Amino acid sequence: MDYGLSEQNTQVIHNWNLSISLDGWLIYLATALVGVALIFIARKIVLLWALNSKYHEHAIYLLRVPKEKPNERDQPANANYLQNLREKLARAETIFKAIGGLRAQRWQKDFSWLLGRNDHFSFEIVAGSKLISFYVVAPKAQGRYLEQQIQAFYPEAVLEEVEDYNIFFPRGQTVAGFLRTKRSFIFPLKTYNKMEADPMEALVNVMSKLGPNESLAIQYIARSAQPGWHRQSNRVVSAVSQGKKLSEALGYNFFTKTLSWLGELVKTAKPEAAGQLPEKENRLTAMEQEVLKLIEEKNSKAGLDVNIRLVANASDRSRARVYLNNLLSAFSQYNYYQYGNVFSNKTSFLNKFVQKFLIRDFIYRRFKPGISFLLNTEELAGLFHPPLAETETPNILWLAAKYAPAPANLPEEGIILGKNIYRDVVKDVKMKREDRRRHTYIIGKSGVGKSVLLAAMAVQDIINGEGVCVIDPHGDLISDIIGRVPPERAEDVILFAPADTARPLALNLLEFDPRYPEQKTFVINEMIKIFDKLYDLKATGGPIFEQYIRNAMLLVMSHPESGSTLMEIPKVLADPAFRKMKLEKCADPTVVDFWRKEAEKAGGEAALANVVPYITSKLTSFISNDTMRPIIAQQTSSFNLRDIMDTKKILLVDLSKGLIGEMNAHLLGMILVGKILMSALSRTDEPAEKRLDFYLYIDEFQNFTTDSVNSILSEARKYNLNLIIAHQYLGQLVKGQDTSIKNAVFGNVGTWLLFKIGSEDAEVMAKEFAPVFNQYDLINIEKYTAYVKLLIDNTASRPFSMSAIWPLPGIKREDMPAKIKSLSRLKYGQDRNIIEAEIMRRAGAV
């Protein structure tokens, strides 16, 4: 039997097997395509989830730059105004170049293909709460990079990391929109290099006209673009150069290029028709040539993918729409209608669902590829940059004043004046002992931190065991210091508070050390200077007053045993018996001759009877004052200033004007300053190496100055008397045409600390702090911040900024002030009744 198959059947079976094989491949192909589609769908779902739900950590910086008076070259009338303006705007472009130069995240390394990129930065202009603020936001890992790039090109700017802001007010209505370019990304927008003014001013001007509880914000999200955009721009330029029209070149891609090549191939295969005219060459119009030039210019710079969102918040929706429309209109200045690109308004007012997503994306600073478009660095710099100094738009949050770094050779020893904080680097500002001997000068308005600085320095000196005297015209400075005196130094404190009338301390204005006879002349000259400052004797008293009061003091001081205080001066002038007794005990023949041969025999205006009332009227306000009399009428002072200096005691002088009166405070303060100088000069009997440093702090020092301050500034440093003086404005150092004290300060002070001052003083002081700080900085420096010219190894440093110490150093003990006051009263004070009795006894003596 033949079991073989026929040839026909064999072919059928073969075809059937082939059919099955083809169907299998089709199934496999279909399955693969479905799988790929599912993968892409899944990726799309994951990507949408990541873009809409995932939150990326970022650092938010408040960007502030100083507002300065424009230079003459920055005025619009200047011939180089435009060039200078564009140079300034080009600084912002360098920041975007730094971002555009970053490598875009790659999907195989960063999973950005699946989860989306998160390497975007945000630049934001926010108007709300009556201020227009500028923010820059970076991924947490790249915050430092952005900060460094900005400060490299804006060294005067301050970037402060802050908490996120909130522009949404309760019960407010919010509308949002976004912008895109209408034409292909290869076409440029109008840049600042094609404009006659700063384009961003139009935007911030719109944002400056908001009412209470209204806000407006612009958000630019930017990230480095993939490099493929350069190739696409090059293809268009190349296609146009090869004779294609610009409209054709825009659609010129790989597919159209292949079709074009095939078409050319067919043409070459066909024989040319007889008499066929050659194809006409396509020539570029002038407009197309200009467009091509702009495309090439845009393509020459780094590109960034950008989202632009606008958000407005107001009391009602219609008002918010008006604000948003005004802001959208301001962006029209960037439109390049003839040669380039234009913005397309995407406000989506009617679609609340889109509005909701836009606002949410604004809050979380999400980059959405669906609304992105490409700008180069020059275009983005025109849209966002730090405000220029000459910008006059109101309500911009400027940097009040510049900050500057401390010098590299900042001392590592000495007391701490404060902290230099610059670009998140904090350094202690210290001052060496040797440099403090050249004195320290502090100037600034009331309430800016002068007393805090004085207290911080004095407390450190006290803790370090130094000798200190603090003269305080208000009392608050003493209160800050006394509570921080260490317990082991409590017995070193002498609290001189004239307002304590129950147990006052004595201060004899005419007291001197008999071992140093020259001190007598010093005391008398100082007293005359003091009365001259208090009463302007040169204008009212003349030489007769000085002659009589000088000889009266010489006579009183010639015999201290019978009384030599201010109380005895009126008595020696008006009481012949007392004067006779004093003359009998006086060993100075010139003084005796003056009284017996001139004063007692003079007539006319120089007669004793005419002069006495004039002199005693100047003294009565002190000797008849219940507060002052027990202090100045005691023969022996309660403390010895030379001993205080040599044994490192602490003298706290509370001259509160509100308690003892302004005139009394000035008199006592000037007497003390003069006596401290006199004590310092007496150190000439000791070798230089044995003279201990003594620190004299004087707040509002202009109230306690005579010519003796000139001597302290120029000479006392040789005797280790170190002056720290503070006051409010330069006019306090000038009396009429007399600028001697001001000249002495400017000529001799080593270290300068300047807090906020007035405009008149800023004109003078700007010369001392140039070129680092200008007049605007000196006027607007923040509270508790100072500009410093620190003496370092006897050389003045470059000026820098410093924040005052707060809280004050040392441990504040609540019970310490009461204990120190009680101890000082018992050791150095005397019961008032005993003092008054002694005064009465001397008053009755003949």
Side-chain angles (χ1 to χ4, degrees):
M1 182 178 287
D2 185 6
Y3 293 98
L5 296 173
S6 67
E7 184 178 342
Q8 184 178 4
N9 291 335
T10 302
Q11 185 64 36
V12 170
I13 294 171
H14 174 73
N15 291 339
W16 182 73
N17 288 333
L18 182 62
S19 175
I20 293 174
S21 177
L22 289 173
D23 289 344
W25 278 107
L26 289 173
I27 292 171
Y28 291 150
L29 180 60
T31 303
L33 290 174
V34 170
V36 171
L38 289 174
I39 290 172
F40 274 94
I41 292 171
R43 171 191 172 269
K44 191 70 174 177
I45 293 171
V46 172
L47 187 59
L48 286 172
W49 168 84
L51 289 175
N52 292 304
S53 303
K54 194 172 176 61
Y55 175 74
H56 300 289
E57 289 289 334
H58 45 247
I60 303 170
Y61 297 94
L62 174 64
L63 172 62
R64 291 181 296 160
V65 293
K67 168 68 173 169
E68 300 174 359
K69 184 179 179 180
N71 297 321
E72 185 178 339
R73 69 187 188 93
D74 295 328
Q75 301 294 342
N78 188 278
N80 297 321
Y81 168 73
L82 274 180
Q83 179 183 346
N84 296 329
L85 174 67
R86 289 165 182 170
E87 286 175 359
K88 291 178 182 178
L89 294 178
R91 289 201 295 170
E93 187 179 347
T94 57
I95 299 169
F96 297 118
K97 284 180 181 178
I99 296 174
L102 293 173
R103 188 166 191 165
Q105 284 181 340
R106 291 170 291 174
W107 70 270
Q108 62 267 48
K109 183 176 179 181
D110 303 297
F111 300 103
S112 59
W113 178 81
L114 182 63
L115 299 177
R117 290 172 58 183
N118 61 357
D119 57 344
H120 55 269
F121 298 79
S122 182
F123 301 87
E124 301 166 10
I125 309 174
V126 181
S129 302
K130 299 182 179 179
L131 286 173
I132 301 174
S133 304
F134 289 71
Y135 294 90
V136 294
V137 184
K140 202 71 174 178
Q142 293 177 297
R144 188 63 178 164
Y145 172 78
L146 180 61
E147 187 178 356
Q148 289 171 341
Q149 293 301 316
I150 292 175
Q151 291 182 328
F153 299 100
Y154 290 87
E156 72 281 6
V158 169
L159 281 171
E160 179 186 0
E161 189 167 0
V162 295
E163 296 293 327
D164 206 349
Y165 58 84
N166 180 13
I167 67 168
F168 305 104
F169 296 99
R171 294 182 296 277
Q173 297 293 315
T174 304
V175 294
F178 67 91
L179 289 173
R180 290 189 65 184
T181 49
K182 184 174 287 187
R183 302 183 69 185
S184 169
F185 68 84
I186 68 169
F187 293 101
L189 291 167
K190 189 178 289 186
T191 67
Y192 63 85
N193 277 320
K194 307 295 182 184
M195 298 186 184
E196 305 297 314
D198 179 8
M200 201 181 70
E201 278 200 45
L203 303 180
V204 292
N205 272 329
V206 172
M207 304 176 80
S208 68
K209 299 174 174 63
L210 301 179
N213 295 331
E214 294 178 339
S215 59
L216 200 53
I218 308 173
Q219 184 182 78
Y220 304 95
I221 305 286
R223 69 184 188 188
S224 58
Q226 299 288 356
W229 78 277
H230 287 292
R231 292 193 295 271
Q232 189 170 343
S233 295
N234 289 333
R235 280 198 299 269
V236 172
V237 173
S238 176
V240 174
S241 301
Q242 292 172 12
K244 291 196 174 293
K245 292 183 179 180
L246 183 59
S247 57
E248 296 174 354
L250 287 174
Y252 198 57
N253 51 33
F254 177 78
F255 179 72
T256 55
K257 187 176 181 181
T258 303
L259 292 178
S260 177
W261 177 77
L262 291 173
E264 292 294 329
L265 192 64
V266 170
K267 279 185 180 181
T268 57
K270 289 182 179 180
E272 283 201 27
Q276 184 176 347
L277 294 175
E279 190 173 322
K280 188 177 180 182
E281 182 183 355
N282 179 42
R283 292 187 178 182
L284 296 179
T285 65
M287 178 178 172
E288 287 178 323
Q289 290 176 356
E290 181 65 24
V291 172
L292 210 62
K293 177 184 174 183
L294 293 174
I295 292 172
E296 289 179 316
E297 286 180 359
K298 178 171 182 174
N299 194 35
S300 67
K301 300 195 174 186
L304 300 105
D305 295 326
V306 178
N307 288 172
I308 300 181
R309 298 189 185 96
L310 314 175
V311 177
N313 184 271
S315 55
D316 61 83
R317 196 170 183 82
S318 60
R319 190 171 178 84
R321 287 179 181 177
V322 169
Y323 286 136
L324 195 60
N325 276 329
N326 291 341
L327 190 55
L328 288 165
S329 299
F331 276 91
S332 62
Q333 64 181 317
Y334 298 97
N335 292 344
Y336 225 142
Y337 296 104
Q338 190 174 8
Y339 300 125
N341 223 324
V342 295
F343 275 122
S344 174
N345 179 357
K346 306 290 184 181
T347 54
S348 304
F349 283 138
L350 301 178
N351 193 331
K352 292 186 177 180
F353 181 75
V354 175
Q355 287 274 312
K356 179 181 177 181
F357 273 93
L358 273 175
I359 295 169
R360 191 171 65 178
D361 292 340
F362 167 84
I363 295 171
Y364 290 105
R365 299 180 175 88
R366 291 172 178 151
F367 186 92
K368 288 300 185 70
I371 63 170
S372 73
F373 58 100
L374 190 138
L375 297 176
N376 74 356
T377 54
E378 185 178 327
E379 292 170 313
L380 192 50
L383 289 163
F384 179 94
H385 53 262
L388 303 182
E390 56 266 29
T391 301
E392 296 301 332
T393 303
N395 305 327
I396 290 178
L397 181 59
W398 297 99
L399 177 65
K402 289 198 289 283
Y403 294 84
N409 63 333
L410 203 63
E412 296 182 359
E413 60 183 42
I415 68 164
I416 299 175
L417 302 180
K419 294 183 182 296
N420 174 249
I421 305 173
Y422 187 73
R423 298 186 181 177
D424 295 332
V425 177
V426 181
K427 295 181 180 179
D428 286 334
V429 179
K430 296 183 178 181
M431 190 176 180
K432 292 181 178 180
R433 180 185 295 271
E434 293 77 13
D435 294 323
R436 296 187 68 188
R437 292 171 183 163
R438 289 290 303 274
H439 314 301
T440 304
Y441 174 58
I442 306 168
I443 183 172
K445 290 183 175 183
S446 177
V448 295
K450 301 188 304 296
S451 296
V452 172
L453 177 58
L454 289 172
M457 295 174 68
V459 168
Q460 289 180 80
D461 283 334
I462 292 170
I463 293 173
N464 294 338
E466 305 287 354
V468 174
C469 175
V470 180
I471 299 178
D472 178 15
H474 306 296
D476 295 336
L477 179 57
I478 298 296
S479 298
D480 289 336
I481 294 172
I482 199 169
R484 291 173 172 82
V485 174
E488 62 272 16
R489 297 215 65 189
E491 292 194 9
D492 292 337
V493 178
I494 304 168
L495 179 60
F496 180 45
D500 181 7
T501 56
R503 197 173 178 86
L505 275 65
L507 179 64
N508 184 0
L509 279 58
L510 303 181
E511 189 177 28
F512 68 98
D513 192 335
R515 295 176 299 172
Y516 307 100
E518 67 277 4
Q519 286 191 3
K520 180 191 291 186
T521 304
F522 183 93
V523 169
I524 292 172
N525 289 339
E526 195 66 19
M527 284 300 303
I528 292 174
K529 292 174 186 175
I530 289 170
F531 281 117
D532 182 30
K533 182 167 184 177
L534 292 175
Y535 296 109
D536 194 13
L537 298 180
K538 289 184 175 66
T540 59
I544 293 177
F545 177 91
E546 181 178 338
Q547 185 182 31
Y548 272 86
I549 196 166
R550 181 184 296 277
N551 280 280
M553 286 188 285
L554 283 168
L555 184 57
V556 167
M557 295 167 69
S558 63
H559 190 255
E561 293 80 4
S562 57
S564 61
T565 69
L566 212 61
M567 296 284 294
E568 276 70 42
I569 293 179
K571 197 171 182 182
V572 82
L573 288 166
D575 188 342
F578 184 77
R579 184 168 62 248
K580 180 181 178 182
M581 181 269 293
K582 280 286 191 180
L583 286 169
E584 291 173 353
K585 299 179 183 296
C586 180
D588 188 343
T590 58
V591 176
V592 174
D593 286 349
F594 170 80
W595 286 106
R596 288 180 176 171
K597 296 179 181 179
E598 293 185 43
E600 292 179 352
K601 294 182 179 180
E605 290 185 1
L608 193 59
N610 292 330
V611 174
V612 169
Y614 184 75
I615 295 176
T616 56
S617 66
K618 304 293 186 291
L619 305 176
T620 303
S621 59
F622 301 113
I623 61 180
S624 63
N625 186 294
D626 290 339
T627 299
M628 292 290 289
R629 186 174 60 252
I631 297 170
I632 63 175
Q634 297 186 60
Q635 184 63 40
T636 305
S637 297
S638 299
F639 46 86
N640 184 291
L641 287 165
R642 172 65 186 271
D643 179 68
I644 289 173
M645 297 173 72
D646 291 345
T647 59
K648 296 187 175 182
K649 292 284 196 303
I650 303 166
L651 177 60
L652 303 179
V653 184
D654 184 357
L655 299 178
S656 180
K657 298 177 185 177
L659 298 176
I660 66 172
E662 186 173 0
M663 188 77 79
N664 296 335
H666 291 176
L667 174 67
L668 293 174
M670 285 187 282
I671 289 294
L672 280 167
V673 171
K675 286 185 175 294
I676 290 171
L677 172 60
M678 184 174 69
S679 300
L681 296 177
S682 72
R683 284 179 157 188
T684 189
D685 60 357
E686 284 190 353
E689 63 273 9
K690 290 188 177 181
R691 297 168 190 166
L692 300 175
D693 286 296
F694 188 77
Y695 300 96
L696 173 58
Y697 293 84
I698 311 177
D699 195 9
E700 303 298 343
F701 89 104
Q702 78 283 350
N703 296 324
F704 312 118
T705 57
T706 61
D707 293 342
S708 60
V709 171
N710 302 358
S711 300
I712 294 177
L713 290 168
S714 59
E715 299 178 27
R717 67 181 182 85
K718 302 172 186 175
Y719 305 100
N720 291 19
L721 174 59
N722 310 322
L723 198 59
I724 303 96
I725 53 177
H727 72 117
Q728 295 180 13
Y729 56 95
L730 294 176
Q732 295 171 321
L733 306 184
V734 179
K735 184 178 180 181
Q737 302 298 317
D738 184 10
T739 61
S740 59
I741 294 176
K742 176 184 173 183
N743 296 338
V745 170
F746 277 53
N748 292 288
V749 164
T751 295
W752 300 58
L753 294 109
L754 186 147
F755 291 85
K756 180 186 289 189
I757 57 176
S759 57
E760 291 185 7
D761 291 347
E763 292 181 11
V764 178
M765 300 301 286
K767 299 173 185 177
E768 299 290 336
F769 287 81
V772 181
F773 302 113
N774 58 29
Q775 184 177 339
Y776 183 88
D777 297 320
L778 307 188
I779 296 171
N780 294 282
I781 187 170
E782 294 178 349
K783 189 176 181 181
Y784 301 125
T785 302
Y787 292 145
V788 185
K789 277 180 66 177
L790 182 66
L791 198 69
I792 304 174
D793 296 327
N794 207 32
T795 303
S797 72
R798 185 178 175 86
F800 61 93
S801 54
M802 183 194 80
S803 297
I805 297 176
W806 189 261
L808 293 174
I811 301 172
K812 186 174 183 180
R813 298 171 177 85
E814 298 297 335
D815 60 336
M816 189 55 68
K819 290 180 179 179
I820 290 177
K821 290 177 183 178
S822 178
L823 182 60
S824 178
R825 293 173 83 241
L826 291 172
K827 286 180 67 176
Y828 301 100
Q830 192 173 5
D831 185 86
R832 183 185 179 92
N833 294 326
I834 298 175
I835 298 170
E836 293 287 0
E838 173 61 21
I839 294 172
M840 293 299 294
R841 184 192 67 76
R842 291 209 328 266
V846 178

